C-alpha cells in the first residue's frame, strides 16, 4: 500500500502542475530607461510605429532581413533604412497628414514632419552602424561601443541586443517599431543612455530655478543668464578640472556682482571616456558648497558633450524654464575657450555639426566674458548624436 500511495501522489502532482512550470508567453513590460530614451531620440518614429504607418515597409526590406537568419552582422546591415525604404516613408507622409497621425507628433522647432521623420530614420542608421557594425561615429574618441569591434565580446553584445529587441517587441523585424527597438537595445547594451540620465530634469534638479524664473524681473539685470561650460579633467579619478574650477570662481564673482539672476552650468561626463563625473554636476556642487551660491540659482544642463552643444543646450533650458531669449546672456569661461568661441573655426564647426549657429556672439567684456544672444534654432532635435540629441 505504501508504494501505491506514492504512485498516486506523484500522479496528483503531475496533474496539478503549477502555472510557473509552463513555458510563459511573451508579455509586454514597461522599461523606464528604454521608453524614456525612445521618446527622447525617436518621438516621431515612435508615433508612426504605433500607427498603421508602421506597416509601410516594402516586401524587399522584409525579405532581406529574413534571409539573414541568425547572423547578427547581416541582421544589422539588413535593418538599415536604405534610400528606397526612406523614400517609401516619405511618399506616405502626405497621406498620413490626412489621417491625423502626424498631428499627434510633437513639432521639432522649425523642421517639417517629413524632414523630422527622415532625420530620425538617418539617426536609426547611425546607431545601427556604430553600435551594431562598429563603424566609427562622429566622435569616436569619446563615443561608441564598449567593446573593441574586432573582439568576440562585441559580436556577442550585438547578438544579445538583437535577442533583447525581439524579446521586448513582437513587431515584425522589417517595421519601424522593430527598428527603433533594436537601436535602443544596442544603445542600452553599450550603456549609451546618457541622454535620459537626469530626466525629468526640470522637475527635479531645476525645479527651484523653474519657480524663481516665473517671478523674476528680467529688466533688473544686465544679463538673463551666466552660461558656464565645463572642461573635463582627462583623468578618471579627478572630479573637477583646474579649468572648471576657474569657471566656477569667475561665475561666482559675476553672480555676486548682480550681473544675472541665474548661473547655468553645462557639461556631461565626457573627458576622459568612461569618467563617472558629470562636469555640470561638479561645477554646480562647487558653486553651492565653495561659494555659497543658492542652489535654486544654479541651473543644471548635464547633457552637452561639446562646446557647440553647451550653447545649444543652454538655449533649450532657457526655453524650458521660461527665461527670455530676447535679452543677452554672458558666457563665462577660461581665456582659451572664450577665444575659441569667438573664432571662425567655431562658427564653421557649428554649421558643420549642428547645421546652424546656436546664437550670436556679441561684445567681449574681458578675456573671460563674451556676450551671447541665443537662437531658437537650438530647439532642433538631432538624434544623430544619440547621447545628446
Amino acid at each position: 500500500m505504501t508504494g501505491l500511495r506514492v504512485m498516486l501522489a506523484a500522479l496528483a502532482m503531475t496533474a496539478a502542475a503549477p502555472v510557473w512550470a509552463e513555458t510563459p508567453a511573451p508579455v509586454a513590460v514597461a522599461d523606464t530607461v528604454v521608453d524614456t530614451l525612445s521618446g527622447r531620440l525617436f518621438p516621431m518614429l515612435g508615433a508612426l510605429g504605433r500607427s498603421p504607418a508602421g506597416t509601410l515597409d516594402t516586401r524587399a526590406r522584409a525579405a532581406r532581413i529574413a534571409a539573414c537568419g541568425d547572423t547578427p552582422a547581416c541582421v544589422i546591415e539588413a535593418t538599415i533604412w536604405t534610400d528606397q525604404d526612406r523614400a517609401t516613408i516619405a511618399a506616405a507622409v502626405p497621406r498620413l497628414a490626412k489621417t491625423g497621425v502626424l498631428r499627434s507628433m510633437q513639432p521639432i522647432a522649425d523642421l517639417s514632419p517629413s524632414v523630422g521623420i527622415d532625420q530620425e530614420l538617418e539617426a536609426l542608421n547611425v546607431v545601427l552602424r556604430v553600435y551594431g557594425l562598429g563603424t566609427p561615429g562622429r566622435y569616436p574618441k569619446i563615443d561608441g561601443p564598449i567593446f573593441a569591434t574586432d573582439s568576440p565580446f562585441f559580436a556577442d553584445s550585438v547578438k544579445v541586443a538583437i535577442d533583447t529587441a525581439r524579446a521586448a517587441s513582437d513587431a515584425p523585424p522589417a517595421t519601424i517599431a522593430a527598428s527603433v527597438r533594436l537601436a535602443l537595445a544596442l544603445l542600452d547594451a553599450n550603456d549609451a543612455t546618457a541622454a535620459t540620465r537626469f530626466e525629468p530634469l526640470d522637475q527635479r534638479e531645476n525645479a527651484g530655478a523653474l519657480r524663481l524664473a516665473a517671478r523674476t524681473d528680467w529688466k533688473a539685470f544686465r544679463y538673463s543668464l551666466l552660461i558656464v561650460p565645463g572642461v573635463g579633467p582627462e583623468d578618471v579619478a579627478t572630479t573637477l578640472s583646474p579649468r572648471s574650477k576657474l569657471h566656477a570662481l569667475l561665475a561666482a564673482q559675476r553672480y555676486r556682482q548682480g550681473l544675472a539672476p541665474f548661473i547655468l552650468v553645462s557639461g556631461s561626463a565626457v573627458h576622459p571616456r568612461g569618467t563617472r563625473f558629470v562636469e555640470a554636476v561638479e561645477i554646480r556642487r562647487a558653486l553651492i558648497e565653495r561659494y555659497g551660491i543658492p542652489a535654486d540659482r544654479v541651473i543644471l544642463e548635464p547633457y552637452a558633450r561639446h562646446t557647440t552643444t553647451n550653447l545649444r543646450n543652454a538655449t533649450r533650458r532657457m526655453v524650458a524654464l521660461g527665461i527670455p531669449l530676447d535679452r543677452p546672456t554672458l558666457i563665462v569661461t577660461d581665456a582659451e575657450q572664450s577665444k575659441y568661441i569667438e573664432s571662425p573655426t567655431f562658427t564653421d564647426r557649428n554649421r558643420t555639426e549642428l547645421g546652424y549657429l546656436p546664437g550670436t556672439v556679441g561684445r567681449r567684456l574681458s578675456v573671460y566674458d563674451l556676450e551671447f544672444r541665443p537662437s531658437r534654432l537650438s530647439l532642433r532635435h538631432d538624434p544623430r548624436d544619440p547621447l545628446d540629441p
Side-chain angles (χ1 to χ4, degrees), residues 100-389:
V101 173
L102 298 185
R103 287 196 294 273
S104 67
M105 298 179 181
Q106 186 70 24
I108 302 173
D110 60 331
L111 300 182
S112 68
S114 59
V115 172
I117 290 169
D118 192 65
Q119 183 173 279
E120 289 188 18
L121 288 173
E122 181 183 351
L124 266 181
N125 288 349
V126 169
V127 174
L128 293 170
R129 289 191 175 105
V130 173
Y131 294 94
L133 297 177
T135 304
R138 184 186 292 177
Y139 309 109
K141 291 184 179 180
I142 58 172
D143 297 333
I146 291 175
F147 301 110
T149 55
D150 59 352
S151 72
F153 304 106
F154 173 74
D156 186 64
S157 73
V158 175
K159 177 186 180 302
V160 173
I162 294 172
D163 291 344
T164 299
R166 290 177 176 175
S169 171
D170 59 0
T175 61
I176 290 174
S179 296
V180 169
R181 192 59 186 81
L182 177 54
L184 296 170
L186 286 167
L187 290 170
D188 191 26
N190 288 278
D191 289 334
T193 58
T196 61
R197 177 175 173 181
F198 289 87
E199 295 306 305
L201 179 62
D202 298 324
Q203 282 69 54
R204 297 194 313 186
E205 282 82 355
N206 293 333
L210 178 64
R211 290 190 295 270
L212 286 179
R215 57 177 187 266
T216 296
D217 179 7
W218 302 102
K219 294 180 181 179
F221 298 90
R222 184 173 175 182
Y223 301 104
S224 60
L225 190 67
L226 303 176
I227 299 176
V228 183
V231 176
E234 299 295 354
D235 171 17
V236 294
T238 301
T239 59
L240 196 60
S241 72
R243 288 183 185 270
S244 286
K245 289 180 180 179
L246 171 61
H247 299 182
L249 168 62
L250 295 170
Q253 290 174 337
R254 280 132 186 81
Y255 175 81
R256 293 302 183 194
Q257 286 179 265
L259 292 181
F262 295 98
I263 302 171
L264 181 143
V265 291
S266 175
S268 186
V270 186
H271 298 285
R273 181 172 177 170
T275 181
R276 297 181 296 108
F277 301 112
V278 177
E279 294 167 3
V281 170
E282 299 306 324
I283 298 174
R284 184 174 189 267
R285 180 178 289 115
L287 286 167
I288 296 169
E289 296 179 358
R290 294 180 59 165
Y291 299 108
I293 307 299
D296 53 9
R297 293 292 179 179
V298 186
I299 299 168
L300 187 69
E301 191 297 292
Y303 294 123
R305 304 173 66 76
H306 312 279
T307 309
T308 53
T309 51
N310 284 139
L311 301 182
R312 181 198 71 180
N313 292 3
T315 306
R316 293 177 175 181
R317 295 274 60 75
M318 291 176 70
V319 171
L321 298 178
I323 300 174
L325 299 185
D326 59 354
R327 300 180 61 80
T329 64
L330 191 67
I331 303 171
V332 182
T333 185
D334 60 86
E336 287 76 14
Q337 187 176 49
S338 186
K339 185 177 180 180
Y340 173 62
I341 290 172
E342 197 178 32
S343 72
T345 300
F346 184 65
T347 298
D348 292 342
R349 182 182 174 189
N350 278 298
R351 289 195 172 112
T352 299
E353 296 182 13
L354 301 181
Y356 57 86
L357 300 182
T360 304
V361 174
R363 293 187 307 145
R364 174 170 293 285
L365 274 62
S366 77
V367 294
Y368 304 128
D369 304 276
L370 272 176
E371 290 185 347
F372 177 74
R373 285 187 177 269
S375 167
R376 293 190 70 86
L377 292 177
S378 294
L379 300 179
R380 287 186 183 179
H381 176 75
D382 187 5
R384 293 170 296 183
D385 188 3
L387 276 74
D388 180 27

Side-chain angles (χ1 to χ4, degrees), residues 23-38:
T23 301
V27 176
V29 294
D31 184 329
T32 55
V33 172
V34 168
D35 293 346
T36 305
L37 192 62
S38 179

